Amino acid sequence: MRRLHDAATSWKELQRYKSLDELRKTVRIGIDDLRSAYWKAFLLFQTVDISTWIQTLSSSRSAYDSLRVHFLSSKEASDPLSEVISELSVADESLRAEISQDVSRCMPENLYFRQPETQQMLTEILFVFAKLNPDVSYRQGMHELLAPVLWVVERDAIDLGLSSKLLGEDAVIKAMFDADYIEHDSFALFSQLMHSAKNFYEQTTSSGNENPMVIRSKRIVFTFLPQIDPELAFHLKKIDIAPQVFLMRWIRLLFGREFPFDDVLSMWDIIFAEDPSLEIVDHVCLVMLLRVRWELLECDYNSALALLLRYPEPVRNQAQGICIDAVYLRENMHPEAGGYLVLKYTDKPLRLANRPNTPPALQRNITMFSGSVVSTRKGRNLEAFAKDIYERGGKAVRNAVEEVNKKAQEIRDSAPLTLQGPEAVLANRRSGGRGAIAPQSQVAARIKALERRNKQLSKLLEGALNELWDFEKNDHSEDRAK
Protein backbone atom coordinates (compact mmCIF):
# COMPACT_ATOMS: atom_id res chain seq x y z
CA MET A 1 0.00 0.00 0.00
CA ARG A 2 1.00 3.63 -0.27
CA ARG A 3 0.57 7.02 1.38
CA LEU A 4 -1.97 9.54 0.16
CA HIS A 5 0.74 12.16 -0.43
CA ASP A 6 2.67 9.88 -2.79
CA ALA A 7 -0.46 8.99 -4.73
CA ALA A 8 -1.50 12.67 -4.99
CA THR A 9 1.75 13.60 -6.74
CA SER A 10 1.32 10.95 -9.42
CA TRP A 11 -2.40 11.68 -9.68
CA LYS A 12 -1.69 15.26 -10.77
CA GLU A 13 0.54 13.90 -13.52
CA LEU A 14 -2.24 11.59 -14.64
CA GLN A 15 -4.72 14.47 -14.90
CA ARG A 16 -2.63 16.20 -17.58
CA TYR A 17 -3.61 13.76 -20.30
CA LYS A 18 -6.42 14.80 -22.61
CA SER A 19 -6.84 11.59 -24.58
CA LEU A 20 -6.10 7.88 -24.49
CA ASP A 21 -3.54 8.43 -27.25
CA GLU A 22 -1.53 10.72 -24.97
CA LEU A 23 -1.79 8.10 -22.27
CA ARG A 24 -0.50 5.43 -24.67
CA LYS A 25 2.54 7.53 -25.54
CA THR A 26 3.43 7.77 -21.86
CA VAL A 27 3.02 4.02 -21.44
CA ARG A 28 5.44 3.41 -24.30
CA ILE A 29 8.07 5.45 -22.48
CA GLY A 30 7.42 3.49 -19.30
CA ILE A 31 5.40 3.93 -16.09
CA ASP A 32 6.44 3.15 -12.54
CA ASP A 33 3.62 4.63 -10.46
CA LEU A 34 -0.16 4.22 -10.26
CA ARG A 35 -0.03 1.39 -12.77
CA SER A 36 -3.50 0.25 -11.70
CA ALA A 37 -4.93 3.61 -12.81
CA TYR A 38 -3.51 3.14 -16.30
CA TRP A 39 -4.84 -0.41 -16.51
CA LYS A 40 -8.26 0.75 -15.36
CA ALA A 41 -8.22 3.56 -17.92
CA PHE A 42 -7.58 1.16 -20.81
CA LEU A 43 -9.56 -1.88 -19.65
CA LEU A 44 -12.41 -0.47 -17.56
CA PHE A 45 -13.00 3.21 -18.29
CA GLN A 46 -11.75 3.54 -21.87
CA THR A 47 -11.59 7.29 -21.35
CA VAL A 48 -9.40 9.85 -19.58
CA ASP A 49 -12.43 11.74 -18.28
CA ILE A 50 -11.71 11.29 -14.58
CA SER A 51 -15.13 12.62 -13.62
CA THR A 52 -16.65 9.33 -14.83
CA TRP A 53 -14.11 7.03 -13.21
CA ILE A 54 -15.49 7.01 -9.67
CA GLN A 55 -19.02 6.33 -10.87
CA THR A 56 -17.82 3.37 -12.95
CA LEU A 57 -15.85 1.99 -10.03
CA SER A 58 -18.80 2.43 -7.69
CA SER A 59 -21.03 0.40 -10.00
CA SER A 60 -18.49 -2.40 -10.45
CA ARG A 61 -17.82 -2.60 -6.71
CA SER A 62 -21.52 -2.81 -5.94
CA ALA A 63 -21.93 -5.55 -8.54
CA TYR A 64 -19.12 -7.60 -7.02
CA ASP A 65 -20.67 -7.31 -3.56
CA SER A 66 -23.87 -8.79 -4.98
CA LEU A 67 -21.96 -11.61 -6.69
CA ARG A 68 -20.16 -12.45 -3.46
CA VAL A 69 -23.43 -12.69 -1.59
CA HIS A 70 -24.92 -14.88 -4.29
CA PHE A 71 -22.04 -17.30 -4.85
CA LEU A 72 -20.16 -17.33 -1.57
CA SER A 73 -22.96 -17.39 1.02
CA SER A 74 -23.77 -20.77 2.59
CA LYS A 75 -27.08 -22.56 1.94
CA GLU A 76 -29.47 -23.58 4.68
CA ALA A 77 -29.77 -27.33 5.21
CA SER A 78 -33.55 -27.01 5.74
CA ASP A 79 -34.08 -25.77 2.21
CA PRO A 80 -36.69 -27.95 0.40
CA LEU A 81 -34.22 -28.31 -2.47
CA SER A 82 -31.53 -29.49 -0.08
CA GLU A 83 -30.68 -32.55 -2.19
CA VAL A 84 -30.01 -30.45 -5.29
CA ILE A 85 -28.18 -27.88 -3.21
CA SER A 86 -26.08 -30.63 -1.68
CA GLU A 87 -24.99 -31.80 -5.12
CA LEU A 88 -24.16 -28.24 -6.09
CA SER A 89 -22.22 -27.77 -2.88
CA VAL A 90 -20.11 -30.82 -3.62
CA ALA A 91 -19.33 -29.46 -7.09
CA ASP A 92 -18.55 -26.05 -5.63
CA GLU A 93 -16.25 -27.50 -3.02
CA SER A 94 -14.46 -29.48 -5.69
CA LEU A 95 -14.06 -26.33 -7.77
CA ARG A 96 -12.84 -24.35 -4.78
CA ALA A 97 -10.34 -27.08 -3.90
CA GLU A 98 -8.95 -27.06 -7.44
CA ILE A 99 -8.56 -23.28 -7.35
CA SER A 100 -6.98 -23.32 -3.89
CA GLN A 101 -4.45 -25.92 -4.96
CA ASP A 102 -3.29 -23.79 -7.89
CA VAL A 103 -3.29 -20.60 -5.80
CA SER A 104 -1.11 -22.22 -3.13
CA ARG A 105 1.56 -22.84 -5.78
CA CYS A 106 1.30 -19.42 -7.43
CA MET A 107 4.64 -17.59 -7.70
CA PRO A 108 6.27 -19.24 -4.68
CA GLU A 109 9.28 -16.91 -4.90
CA ASN A 110 7.08 -13.87 -4.13
CA LEU A 111 6.23 -13.56 -0.43
CA TYR A 112 3.12 -11.50 -1.17
CA PHE A 113 1.46 -14.53 -2.76
CA ARG A 114 2.34 -16.71 0.23
CA GLN A 115 0.22 -14.62 2.60
CA PRO A 116 -3.12 -16.23 3.62
CA GLU A 117 -5.06 -13.01 2.97
CA THR A 118 -3.69 -12.82 -0.57
CA GLN A 119 -4.48 -16.45 -1.30
CA GLN A 120 -8.01 -16.03 0.02
CA MET A 121 -8.67 -13.06 -2.27
CA LEU A 122 -7.26 -14.94 -5.26
CA THR A 123 -9.43 -17.98 -4.49
CA GLU A 124 -12.65 -16.05 -4.02
CA ILE A 125 -12.20 -13.90 -7.13
CA LEU A 126 -11.51 -16.97 -9.26
CA PHE A 127 -14.43 -18.88 -7.73
CA VAL A 128 -16.89 -16.04 -8.40
CA PHE A 129 -15.60 -15.71 -11.96
CA ALA A 130 -15.95 -19.45 -12.55
CA LYS A 131 -19.53 -19.47 -11.28
CA LEU A 132 -20.38 -16.41 -13.33
CA ASN A 133 -18.90 -17.97 -16.49
CA PRO A 134 -19.92 -21.64 -16.48
CA ASP A 135 -19.07 -21.98 -20.18
CA VAL A 136 -15.37 -21.79 -19.36
CA SER A 137 -15.46 -22.04 -15.54
CA TYR A 138 -11.96 -22.17 -14.06
CA ARG A 139 -8.94 -23.45 -15.97
CA GLN A 140 -5.43 -23.91 -14.72
CA GLY A 141 -3.42 -20.81 -15.55
CA MET A 142 -6.12 -18.26 -14.81
CA HIS A 143 -4.65 -17.76 -11.35
CA GLU A 144 -1.40 -16.59 -12.99
CA LEU A 145 -3.32 -13.93 -14.90
CA LEU A 146 -5.11 -12.73 -11.78
CA ALA A 147 -2.01 -12.63 -9.56
CA PRO A 148 -0.29 -9.66 -11.29
CA VAL A 149 -3.60 -7.77 -11.35
CA LEU A 150 -4.07 -8.20 -7.61
CA TRP A 151 -0.45 -7.23 -6.99
CA VAL A 152 -0.81 -3.98 -8.97
CA VAL A 153 -4.11 -2.97 -7.34
CA GLU A 154 -2.86 -3.70 -3.82
CA ARG A 155 0.37 -1.81 -4.41
CA ASP A 156 -1.53 1.37 -5.34
CA ALA A 157 -4.13 1.06 -2.57
CA ILE A 158 -4.48 3.74 0.12
CA ASP A 159 -5.62 2.85 3.64
CA LEU A 160 -6.40 5.84 5.87
CA GLY A 161 -8.62 4.08 8.37
CA LEU A 162 -12.29 4.61 9.19
CA SER A 163 -11.73 7.94 10.93
CA SER A 164 -10.25 9.75 7.95
CA LYS A 165 -12.20 12.73 6.62
CA LEU A 166 -11.18 13.80 3.13
CA LEU A 167 -12.55 16.49 0.87
CA GLY A 168 -12.01 17.62 -2.70
CA GLU A 169 -9.32 15.97 -4.78
CA ASP A 170 -8.03 13.88 -1.87
CA ALA A 171 -11.45 12.28 -1.57
CA VAL A 172 -11.37 11.38 -5.27
CA ILE A 173 -7.92 9.81 -4.90
CA LYS A 174 -9.06 7.88 -1.83
CA ALA A 175 -12.12 6.60 -3.69
CA MET A 176 -10.02 5.62 -6.68
CA PHE A 177 -7.48 3.61 -4.67
CA ASP A 178 -9.51 2.64 -1.61
CA ALA A 179 -7.88 -0.28 0.19
CA ASP A 180 -11.31 -1.59 1.19
CA TYR A 181 -11.96 -2.44 -2.46
CA ILE A 182 -8.76 -4.19 -3.50
CA GLU A 183 -10.62 -7.42 -4.14
CA HIS A 184 -13.47 -5.64 -5.92
CA ASP A 185 -11.24 -3.69 -8.30
CA SER A 186 -9.07 -6.73 -8.97
CA PHE A 187 -12.16 -8.70 -9.94
CA ALA A 188 -13.30 -5.90 -12.28
CA LEU A 189 -9.92 -5.73 -14.03
CA PHE A 190 -9.59 -9.51 -14.21
CA SER A 191 -13.09 -9.85 -15.68
CA GLN A 192 -12.26 -7.33 -18.41
CA LEU A 193 -8.98 -9.09 -19.12
CA MET A 194 -10.75 -12.45 -19.34
CA HIS A 195 -13.36 -10.98 -21.67
CA SER A 196 -10.61 -11.08 -24.30
CA ALA A 197 -8.57 -13.96 -22.88
CA LYS A 198 -11.46 -16.37 -22.32
CA ASN A 199 -10.93 -18.05 -25.68
CA PHE A 200 -7.37 -18.88 -24.57
CA TYR A 201 -8.95 -21.43 -22.22
CA GLU A 202 -11.84 -22.75 -24.30
CA GLN A 203 -11.59 -26.42 -25.21
CA THR A 204 -13.38 -26.24 -28.56
CA THR A 205 -14.68 -23.59 -30.92
CA SER A 206 -18.36 -22.64 -31.00
CA SER A 207 -18.83 -25.08 -33.88
CA GLY A 208 -17.28 -27.88 -31.83
CA ASN A 209 -14.18 -28.22 -33.97
CA GLU A 210 -10.49 -28.00 -33.09
CA ASN A 211 -9.21 -26.32 -29.93
CA PRO A 212 -9.10 -22.52 -30.49
CA MET A 213 -5.56 -22.29 -29.13
CA VAL A 214 -4.34 -24.95 -31.56
CA ILE A 215 -5.89 -23.01 -34.43
CA ARG A 216 -4.38 -19.75 -33.21
CA SER A 217 -0.93 -21.25 -32.67
CA LYS A 218 -0.84 -22.75 -36.16
CA ARG A 219 -1.95 -19.46 -37.66
CA ILE A 220 0.90 -17.61 -35.95
CA VAL A 221 3.64 -20.00 -37.12
CA PHE A 222 2.34 -21.26 -40.45
CA THR A 223 0.45 -18.19 -41.74
CA PHE A 224 1.91 -15.08 -40.11
CA LEU A 225 5.56 -16.10 -39.69
CA PRO A 226 6.09 -16.93 -43.42
CA GLN A 227 5.06 -13.35 -44.23
CA ILE A 228 8.03 -11.92 -42.31
CA ASP A 229 10.57 -14.77 -42.23
CA PRO A 230 9.86 -17.60 -44.69
CA GLU A 231 13.11 -19.39 -43.90
CA LEU A 232 12.39 -19.66 -40.18
CA ALA A 233 8.80 -20.75 -40.81
CA PHE A 234 10.02 -23.44 -43.22
CA HIS A 235 12.59 -24.68 -40.70
CA LEU A 236 10.05 -24.98 -37.87
CA LYS A 237 7.75 -26.91 -40.17
CA LYS A 238 10.62 -29.10 -41.35
CA ILE A 239 11.59 -30.17 -37.83
CA ASP A 240 7.90 -30.81 -37.13
CA ILE A 241 7.42 -28.38 -34.25
CA ALA A 242 3.82 -28.29 -33.02
CA PRO A 243 3.30 -24.55 -32.35
CA GLN A 244 0.71 -25.09 -29.62
CA VAL A 245 3.26 -26.91 -27.46
CA PHE A 246 5.01 -23.64 -26.58
CA LEU A 247 2.57 -20.95 -27.73
CA MET A 248 -0.25 -22.22 -25.54
CA ARG A 249 1.74 -21.37 -22.43
CA TRP A 250 3.09 -18.12 -23.86
CA ILE A 251 -0.37 -16.84 -24.70
CA ARG A 252 -2.49 -18.28 -21.89
CA LEU A 253 -0.25 -16.74 -19.24
CA LEU A 254 0.50 -13.60 -21.27
CA PHE A 255 4.23 -14.43 -21.14
CA GLY A 256 4.22 -14.70 -17.34
CA ARG A 257 6.56 -17.71 -17.37
CA GLU A 258 8.88 -16.40 -20.08
CA PHE A 259 9.96 -13.13 -18.44
CA PRO A 260 10.71 -11.83 -14.93
CA PHE A 261 7.71 -10.50 -13.01
CA ASP A 262 8.57 -6.79 -13.37
CA ASP A 263 9.12 -7.25 -17.10
CA VAL A 264 5.73 -8.95 -17.41
CA LEU A 265 4.07 -5.92 -15.82
CA SER A 266 5.75 -3.56 -18.29
CA MET A 267 4.73 -5.82 -21.18
CA TRP A 268 1.13 -5.79 -19.98
CA ASP A 269 1.28 -1.98 -19.87
CA ILE A 270 1.87 -1.93 -23.63
CA ILE A 271 -0.55 -4.76 -24.44
CA PHE A 272 -3.46 -3.22 -22.51
CA ALA A 273 -2.74 0.25 -23.90
CA GLU A 274 -2.37 -0.79 -27.52
CA ASP A 275 -4.93 -3.55 -27.84
CA PRO A 276 -7.28 -4.55 -25.00
CA SER A 277 -8.67 -7.21 -27.34
CA LEU A 278 -5.27 -8.95 -27.00
CA GLU A 279 -4.93 -9.62 -30.73
CA ILE A 280 -1.53 -7.92 -30.50
CA VAL A 281 -0.38 -10.97 -28.53
CA ASP A 282 0.09 -12.86 -31.83
CA HIS A 283 2.62 -10.27 -32.97
CA VAL A 284 4.41 -10.35 -29.63
CA CYS A 285 4.93 -14.08 -30.23
CA LEU A 286 6.31 -13.35 -33.70
CA VAL A 287 8.83 -10.83 -32.35
CA MET A 288 9.91 -13.35 -29.72
CA LEU A 289 10.53 -15.94 -32.44
CA LEU A 290 12.56 -13.47 -34.51
CA ARG A 291 14.65 -12.63 -31.45
CA VAL A 292 15.95 -16.22 -31.29
CA ARG A 293 15.86 -16.84 -35.04
CA TRP A 294 19.46 -17.83 -35.56
CA GLU A 295 19.46 -20.21 -32.61
CA LEU A 296 16.27 -21.87 -33.88
CA LEU A 297 17.73 -22.41 -37.35
CA GLU A 298 20.50 -24.50 -35.78
CA CYS A 299 18.09 -26.57 -33.66
CA ASP A 300 16.53 -29.94 -34.19
CA TYR A 301 13.12 -30.76 -32.69
CA ASN A 302 14.28 -31.39 -29.12
CA SER A 303 16.66 -28.45 -28.84
CA ALA A 304 14.16 -26.06 -30.46
CA LEU A 305 11.46 -27.09 -28.02
CA ALA A 306 13.84 -26.71 -25.09
CA LEU A 307 14.78 -23.21 -26.27
CA LEU A 308 11.17 -22.09 -26.71
CA LEU A 309 10.01 -23.52 -23.38
CA ARG A 310 12.98 -21.97 -21.57
CA TYR A 311 12.97 -18.71 -23.44
CA PRO A 312 16.18 -16.66 -23.03
CA GLU A 313 15.78 -13.87 -20.50
CA PRO A 314 15.97 -10.42 -22.11
CA VAL A 315 18.36 -7.66 -21.20
CA ARG A 316 17.13 -4.66 -19.24
CA ASN A 317 14.00 -2.98 -20.70
CA GLN A 318 14.01 -5.32 -23.70
CA ALA A 319 10.75 -7.04 -22.74
CA GLN A 320 8.75 -3.83 -23.10
CA GLY A 321 10.54 -3.17 -26.38
CA ILE A 322 9.33 -6.53 -27.67
CA CYS A 323 5.73 -5.36 -27.24
CA ILE A 324 6.45 -2.01 -28.88
CA ASP A 325 8.02 -3.86 -31.80
CA ALA A 326 4.90 -6.02 -31.97
CA VAL A 327 2.88 -2.85 -32.60
CA TYR A 328 5.28 -1.97 -35.42
CA LEU A 329 5.09 -5.48 -36.85
CA ARG A 330 1.30 -5.44 -36.80
CA GLU A 331 1.40 -2.60 -39.33
CA ASN A 332 4.34 -4.01 -41.34
CA MET A 333 3.85 -7.70 -42.04
CA HIS A 334 6.55 -8.16 -44.69
CA PRO A 335 10.10 -9.58 -44.89
CA GLU A 336 11.76 -6.15 -44.67
CA ALA A 337 10.17 -5.58 -41.25
CA GLY A 338 11.19 -9.06 -40.18
CA GLY A 339 14.74 -8.38 -41.32
CA TYR A 340 14.83 -5.12 -39.40
CA LEU A 341 13.79 -6.84 -36.16
CA VAL A 342 16.23 -9.71 -36.65
CA LEU A 343 19.05 -7.21 -37.09
CA LYS A 344 17.88 -5.23 -34.06
CA TYR A 345 17.87 -8.19 -31.70
CA THR A 346 20.76 -10.24 -33.07
CA ASP A 347 23.06 -7.70 -34.79
CA LYS A 348 23.06 -10.09 -37.72
CA PRO A 349 21.40 -9.04 -40.98
CA LEU A 350 18.75 -11.16 -42.62
CA ARG A 351 19.45 -11.96 -46.26
CA LEU A 352 16.25 -11.22 -48.15
CA ALA A 353 15.53 -13.43 -51.15
CA ASN A 354 14.39 -10.58 -53.42
CA ARG A 355 17.13 -8.13 -52.50
CA PRO A 356 19.26 -7.19 -55.57
CA ASN A 357 22.87 -8.31 -55.57
CA THR A 358 25.65 -5.79 -55.01
CA PRO A 359 26.99 -4.43 -58.31
CA PRO A 360 30.29 -6.17 -59.27
CA ALA A 361 32.33 -2.96 -59.31
CA LEU A 362 31.13 -1.98 -55.85
CA GLN A 363 31.61 -5.53 -54.63
CA ARG A 364 35.28 -5.41 -55.68
CA ASN A 365 35.83 -2.29 -53.58
CA ILE A 366 33.95 -3.77 -50.62
CA THR A 367 35.95 -6.97 -50.88
CA MET A 368 39.23 -5.06 -51.05
CA PHE A 369 38.56 -3.15 -47.83
CA SER A 370 36.61 -5.83 -45.92
CA GLY A 371 39.38 -8.30 -46.63
CA SER A 372 41.80 -5.97 -44.91
CA VAL A 373 39.51 -5.63 -41.89
CA VAL A 374 39.11 -9.38 -41.54
CA SER A 375 42.82 -10.01 -41.81
CA THR A 376 43.48 -7.33 -39.20
CA ARG A 377 41.14 -9.01 -36.72
CA LYS A 378 42.91 -12.29 -37.31
CA GLY A 379 46.11 -10.94 -35.87
CA ARG A 380 47.74 -8.38 -38.13
CA ASN A 381 48.83 -5.31 -36.22
CA LEU A 382 47.28 -1.90 -36.73
CA GLU A 383 50.36 -0.41 -38.40
CA ALA A 384 50.45 -3.11 -41.07
CA PHE A 385 46.74 -2.64 -41.67
CA ALA A 386 47.14 1.13 -42.04
CA LYS A 387 50.01 0.68 -44.47
CA ASP A 388 47.97 -1.79 -46.50
CA ILE A 389 44.98 0.54 -46.63
CA TYR A 390 47.18 3.50 -47.55
CA GLU A 391 48.89 1.58 -50.32
CA ARG A 392 45.60 0.29 -51.72
CA GLY A 393 43.87 3.65 -51.39
CA GLY A 394 46.87 5.53 -52.71
CA LYS A 395 47.01 3.25 -55.71
CA ALA A 396 43.32 3.89 -56.35
CA VAL A 397 43.90 7.65 -56.19
CA ARG A 398 46.92 7.46 -58.48
CA ASN A 399 45.02 5.34 -60.97
CA ALA A 400 42.17 7.84 -61.00
CA VAL A 401 44.55 10.77 -61.48
CA GLU A 402 46.41 9.01 -64.27
CA GLU A 403 43.11 8.20 -65.98
CA VAL A 404 42.02 11.84 -65.91
CA ASN A 405 45.41 13.07 -67.16
CA LYS A 406 45.30 10.50 -69.93
CA LYS A 407 41.89 11.73 -71.04
CA ALA A 408 43.08 15.32 -70.94
CA GLN A 409 46.11 14.49 -73.09
CA GLU A 410 43.90 12.68 -75.58
CA ILE A 411 41.79 15.80 -75.88
CA ARG A 412 44.86 17.93 -76.54
CA ASP A 413 46.23 15.55 -79.19
CA SER A 414 42.95 14.77 -80.90
CA ALA A 415 41.27 16.52 -83.80
CA PRO A 416 39.44 19.76 -83.08
CA LEU A 417 36.81 19.20 -80.43
CA THR A 418 33.22 19.15 -81.60
CA LEU A 419 30.51 20.68 -79.54
CA GLN A 420 27.76 18.58 -78.00
CA GLY A 421 24.34 19.22 -76.55
CA PRO A 422 22.32 22.41 -77.16
CA GLU A 423 25.44 24.34 -78.22
CA ALA A 424 26.05 21.83 -81.03
CA VAL A 425 22.55 22.33 -82.40
CA LEU A 426 23.01 26.11 -82.70
CA ALA A 427 26.54 25.87 -84.14
CA ASN A 428 25.48 23.25 -86.66
CA ARG A 429 22.80 25.58 -87.98
CA ARG A 430 25.33 28.41 -88.35
CA SER A 431 27.82 26.19 -90.24
CA GLY A 432 25.28 24.93 -92.72
CA GLY A 433 25.29 21.40 -91.38
CA ARG A 434 29.06 20.84 -91.72
CA GLY A 435 29.49 20.19 -88.00
CA ALA A 436 30.46 22.53 -85.21
CA ILE A 437 34.13 22.94 -84.32
CA ALA A 438 34.84 24.09 -80.79
CA PRO A 439 37.21 27.03 -80.48
CA GLN A 440 40.57 26.57 -78.73
CA SER A 441 39.34 28.49 -75.69
CA GLN A 442 36.61 25.91 -75.13
CA VAL A 443 39.13 23.07 -75.42
CA ALA A 444 41.25 24.69 -72.72
CA ALA A 445 38.17 25.17 -70.55
CA ARG A 446 37.29 21.48 -70.87
CA ILE A 447 40.82 20.49 -69.87
CA LYS A 448 40.69 22.74 -66.80
CA ALA A 449 37.32 21.27 -65.86
CA LEU A 450 38.78 17.78 -66.03
CA GLU A 451 41.71 18.84 -63.88
CA ARG A 452 39.35 20.34 -61.28
CA ARG A 453 37.40 17.10 -61.29
CA ASN A 454 40.69 15.27 -60.79
CA LYS A 455 41.43 17.29 -57.64
CA GLN A 456 37.90 16.80 -56.29
CA LEU A 457 38.16 13.07 -56.84
CA SER A 458 41.47 12.99 -55.01
CA LYS A 459 39.99 14.83 -52.02
CA LEU A 460 36.98 12.53 -51.89
CA LEU A 461 39.12 9.41 -51.94
CA GLU A 462 41.48 10.87 -49.37
CA GLY A 463 38.54 11.68 -47.08
CA ALA A 464 37.15 8.17 -47.42
CA LEU A 465 40.51 6.67 -46.54
CA ASN A 466 40.84 8.92 -43.49
CA GLU A 467 37.37 7.93 -42.25
CA LEU A 468 38.16 4.26 -42.74
CA TRP A 469 41.44 4.71 -40.88
CA ASP A 470 39.70 6.46 -37.93
CA PHE A 471 37.01 3.79 -37.78
CA GLU A 472 39.49 0.93 -37.72
CA LYS A 473 41.68 2.70 -35.17
CA ASN A 474 38.70 3.17 -32.81
CA ASP A 475 37.53 -0.40 -33.38
CA HIS A 476 41.01 -1.70 -32.61
CA SER A 477 41.17 0.41 -29.43
CA GLU A 478 37.84 -0.99 -28.24
CA ASP A 479 39.01 -4.56 -28.89
CA ARG A 480 42.17 -3.94 -26.87
CA ALA A 481 40.13 -2.39 -24.04
CA LYS A 482 37.98 -5.52 -23.87
Side-chain angles (χ1 to χ4, degrees):
M1 295 188 187
R2 62 192 307 117
R3 296 181 302 173
L4 176 62
H5 173 73
D6 296 334
T9 302
S10 299
W11 180 259
K12 290 179 180 178
E13 179 73 15
L14 194 62
Q15 288 179 304
R16 294 191 305 106
Y17 303 111
K18 304 301 181 184
S19 68
L20 287 176
D21 284 338
E22 290 185 13
L23 211 58
R24 288 188 187 96
K25 292 177 182 178
T26 299
V27 169
R28 291 174 186 173
I29 298 172
I31 56 175
D32 295 318
D33 204 13
L34 295 187
R35 176 173 268 121
S36 67
Y38 288 86
W39 288 11
K40 289 173 183 176
F42 293 119
L43 295 178
L44 280 179
F45 309 138
Q46 298 178 357
T47 177
V48 293
D49 183 2
I50 294 177
S51 64
T52 66
W53 287 10
I54 302 304
Q55 182 179 356
T56 302
L57 280 179
S58 178
S59 298
S60 68
R61 290 166 178 173
S62 177
Y64 183 67
D65 278 332
S66 299
L67 291 172
R68 279 182 56 87
V69 170
H70 182 69
F71 291 121
L72 298 177
S73 61
S74 60
K75 303 294 183 179
E76 295 294 336
S78 59
D79 194 296
L81 300 177
S82 59
E83 185 176 343
V84 176
I85 292 174
S86 178
E87 292 178 0
L88 290 175
S89 298
V90 171
D92 287 351
E93 288 304 316
S94 176
L95 174 61
R96 184 184 286 273
E98 180 185 359
I99 294 172
S100 297
Q101 184 178 34
D102 288 344
V103 165
S104 66
R105 297 180 298 205
C106 180
M107 301 185 189
E109 71 284 354
N110 191 322
L111 293 178
Y112 173 73
F113 297 109
R114 305 271 57 77
Q115 298 174 10
E117 298 83 358
T118 302
Q119 294 187 357
Q120 182 179 354
M121 282 193 289
L122 287 170
T123 301
E124 293 188 349
I125 291 172
L126 290 168
F127 181 80
V128 171
F129 175 83
K131 296 294 291 182
L132 191 62
N133 297 273
D135 55 329
V136 66
S137 188
Y138 170 78
R139 294 283 185 272
Q140 190 175 43
M142 291 182 181
H143 65 297
E144 294 192 45
L145 287 183
L146 173 59
V149 172
L150 183 62
W151 165 277
V152 167
V153 173
E154 196 278 339
R155 186 182 181 188
D156 288 342
I158 299 171
D159 187 5
L160 298 178
L162 297 176
S163 61
S164 61
K165 300 292 183 181
L166 298 175
L167 299 174
E169 187 174 271
D170 287 347
V172 175
I173 298 173
K174 171 64 166 62
M176 181 73 180
F177 305 105
D178 195 334
D180 292 336
Y181 296 102
I182 292 175
E183 184 177 329
H184 301 67
D185 292 354
S186 297
F187 175 82
L189 279 173
F190 177 71
S191 295
Q192 286 301 117
L193 172 59
M194 288 304 300
H195 179 73
S196 300
K198 184 187 291 188
N199 66 332
F200 298 170
Y201 295 89
E202 292 175 346
Q203 300 302 306
T204 59
T205 60
S206 57
S207 60
N209 294 326
E210 197 173 12
N211 184 297
M213 277 304 302
V214 174
I215 296 174
R216 185 170 192 156
S217 300
K218 289 181 177 179
R219 184 174 68 242
I220 291 172
V221 173
F222 299 137
T223 301
F224 292 160
L225 185 59
Q227 297 177 31
I228 57 174
D229 193 341
E231 183 182 6
L232 179 58
F234 176 79
H235 177 72
L236 294 179
K237 188 173 183 179
K238 179 181 177 181
I239 62 177
D240 202 24
I241 283 286
Q244 65 270 22
V245 174
F246 64 94
L247 285 179
M248 194 170 290
R249 190 180 78 179
W250 286 14
I251 295 175
R252 278 184 172 176
L253 305 183
L254 282 182
F255 317 106
R257 295 275 186 91
E258 278 55 60
F259 299 96
F261 186 70
D262 288 341
D263 285 343
V264 172
L265 298 182
S266 65
M267 292 179 74
W268 287 18
D269 293 341
I270 302 295
I271 292 172
F272 296 162
E274 296 293 339
D275 188 4
S277 72
L278 305 184
E279 291 299 318
I280 192 70
V281 166
D282 293 0
H283 298 86
V284 175
C285 294
L286 291 171
V287 176
M288 290 173 63
L289 289 172
L290 293 177
R291 180 174 173 262
V292 294
R293 176 194 199 268
W294 300 112
E295 293 90 334
L296 285 173
L297 288 179
E298 297 177 357
C299 288
D300 58 12
Y301 175 85
N302 291 329
S303 55
L305 202 57
L307 175 66
L308 295 170
L309 290 176
R310 291 193 291 272
Y311 193 78
E313 186 172 322
V315 298
R316 181 177 175 83
N317 297 327
Q318 195 179 68
Q320 187 180 36
I322 288 174
C323 291
I324 294 174
D325 288 333
V327 177
Y328 160 77
L329 192 60
R330 180 179 59 183
E331 308 300 328
N332 298 275
M333 287 292 290
H334 49 71
E336 289 75 14
Y340 161 74
L341 293 177
V342 169
L343 179 61
K344 174 181 177 179
Y345 287 103
T346 69
D347 291 327
K348 188 175 180 181
L350 181 64
R351 179 73 177 178
L352 300 179
N354 296 327
R355 178 177 291 175
N357 293 327
T358 306
L362 181 58
Q363 183 61 47
R364 284 195 298 272
N365 291 335
I366 293 173
T367 303
M368 179 181 71
F369 289 109
S370 63
S372 300
V373 174
V374 171
S375 62
T376 300
R377 290 178 177 173
K378 287 183 178 179
R380 293 179 58 187
N381 59 42
L382 186 60
E383 291 77 15
F385 168 74
K387 182 179 179 181
D388 185 43
I389 287 292
Y390 180 79
E391 290 176 352
R392 291 172 182 264
K395 184 177 180 181
V397 173
R398 289 194 298 273
N399 289 342
V401 172
E402 290 174 1
E403 184 68 20
V404 174
N405 287 335
K406 182 179 178 181
K407 292 294 183 182
Q409 187 61 40
E410 289 177 357
I411 292 172
R412 293 190 185 96
D413 298 339
S414 64
L417 186 66
T418 57
L419 293 176
Q420 298 178 354
E423 298 90 345
V425 175
L426 294 175
N428 191 47
R429 289 175 182 174
R430 288 194 296 268
S431 63
R434 295 189 302 272
I437 305 299
Q440 189 65 28
S441 60
Q442 291 192 21
V443 174
R446 290 284 299 276
I447 293 173
K448 289 183 178 180
L450 288 172
E451 290 175 345
R452 285 196 301 271
R453 184 179 178 185
N454 169 21
K455 293 179 181 179
Q456 292 173 354
L457 178 61
S458 299
K459 290 181 180 179
L460 287 173
L461 290 173
E462 182 181 3
L465 289 172
N466 288 336
E467 289 180 5
L468 184 59
W469 162 256
D470 291 338
F471 170 80
E472 186 62 28
K473 183 168 62 176
N474 293 335
D475 190 46
H476 184 76
S477 299
E478 291 177 1
D479 290 342
R480 293 184 63 182
K482 292 179 181 178

